[in-house]
Amino acid sequence: MAPPKKQATEESIGARLREWRTGKGMTLSTVSAQTGVASSTLSKIENGQVSASYYTLKKICDGLEIPIEEIINPGHKSFAPGRRVVTRLGEGPIYRSNQYVYETHSTELSRKEMIPMIMTVLARSPDEFEDWNKHDGEEFVLVLEGEVDIYTEFYAAVTLTKGESMYFDSSMGHKYCSRSEEPAKIVSVCYDPQAHQHIDMADYFAKGRLNVMLDE
């Protein structure tokens, strides 16, 4: 029997975002201004009222200059020469949005330039998305099961079946929709050009505590 999968629930993701924001003395409006995510949406995420997609979480983390792993799987280590991490079957933290279920891999390391995930595509129509998904960098997608319609901002939609892939500029808007009877499953690997610019949260809290001690 496979071990139970870790769950990065809406409540835990929201609580970590709220802890980081309040720990730095930031208001929702300030975070909204830095990330481009509406204050109302941030509030709902923090209170576990809505499910944030990877793209929304990435937008928040990029705007705040923190690793996305800090929100999905705290307690990770920073990537460095000679380090490696293995994700066993069923061990990847899982979270979901209305359009996708994300099984994240290698979250025990942050500041790495690739973010690998296995995604179950729930969306059936591009109309189910409020806006295009887009983020700096590049993305590789490989279909594991079913068929996927990939909509991109500047090209006609393309259908990929099992074993087929696409590599593209992820700053171009994109959406994945399942067209098979069962929800399709894909591997998504995102290249993050900002990986080494992010703040290590352990360092952040350590420095914050040091400042408090100096003030005392």
Side-chain angles (χ1 to χ4, degrees):
M1 180 181 295
K5 294 183 177 181
K6 299 178 184 177
Q7 299 291 320
T9 64
E10 289 80 4
E11 291 82 3
S12 62
I13 286 174
R16 290 167 196 153
L17 285 171
R18 183 171 57 249
E19 180 182 7
W20 190 93
R21 177 179 63 79
T22 56
K24 203 167 184 181
M26 300 176 71
T27 64
L28 286 171
S29 59
T30 302
V31 174
S32 176
Q34 287 190 204
T35 63
V37 179
S39 296
S40 57
T41 300
L42 290 168
S43 178
K44 290 176 182 178
I45 292 173
E46 286 190 0
N47 289 289
Q49 297 173 352
V50 295
S51 302
S53 68
Y54 163 79
Y55 306 100
T56 300
L57 284 180
K58 189 71 171 60
K59 194 173 183 180
I60 294 170
C61 291
D62 283 351
L64 297 177
E65 297 184 339
I66 59 176
I68 193 170
E69 291 86 0
E70 181 63 32
I71 303 304
I72 297 174
N73 184 27
H76 58 272
K77 299 177 180 179
S78 295
F79 184 81
R83 279 194 171 153
R84 74 169 199 178
V85 61
V86 175
T87 303
R88 299 289 185 186
L89 178 65
E91 291 183 350
I94 294 175
Y95 70 99
R96 66 168 53 226
S97 69
N98 293 332
Q99 295 82 26
Y100 310 119
V101 177
Y102 305 86
E103 180 179 344
T104 54
H105 283 243
S106 306
T107 58
E108 293 178 26
L109 292 178
S110 69
R111 298 194 185 187
K112 57 186 184 294
E113 295 185 355
M114 292 185 290
I115 301 174
M117 299 177 286
I118 295 176
M119 297 168 55
T120 301
V121 182
L122 305 177
R124 295 285 176 174
S125 164
D127 295 333
E128 295 181 38
F129 298 79
E130 293 184 5
D131 200 355
W132 290 105
N133 297 317
K134 56 176 70 177
H135 46 93
D136 290 343
E138 300 167 354
E139 188 163 347
F140 171 78
V141 175
L142 171 68
V143 179
L144 296 177
E145 298 175 10
E147 294 183 317
V148 179
D149 286 333
I150 301 183
Y151 296 83
T152 50
E153 205 168 4
F154 308 127
Y155 295 87
V158 63
T159 301
L160 299 183
T161 61
K162 182 177 179 179
E164 297 180 334
S165 66
M166 177 183 287
Y167 190 104
F168 60 95
D169 172 10
S170 55
S171 66
M172 174 177 61
H174 52 281
K175 305 173 183 180
Y176 306 135
C177 296
S178 182
R179 67 176 299 154
S180 45
E181 183 174 347
E182 296 294 326
K185 185 172 288 189
I186 63 176
V187 171
S188 169
V189 182
C190 301
Y191 162 67
D192 181 8
Q194 300 186 50
H196 296 294
Q197 300 176 27
H198 294 151
I199 299 169
D200 187 287
M201 292 304 289
D203 290 346
Y204 165 75
F205 284 115
K207 291 174 182 176
R209 179 56 191 157
L210 177 60
N211 289 335
V212 170
M213 292 172 65
L214 291 174
D215 290 339
E216 293 173 347

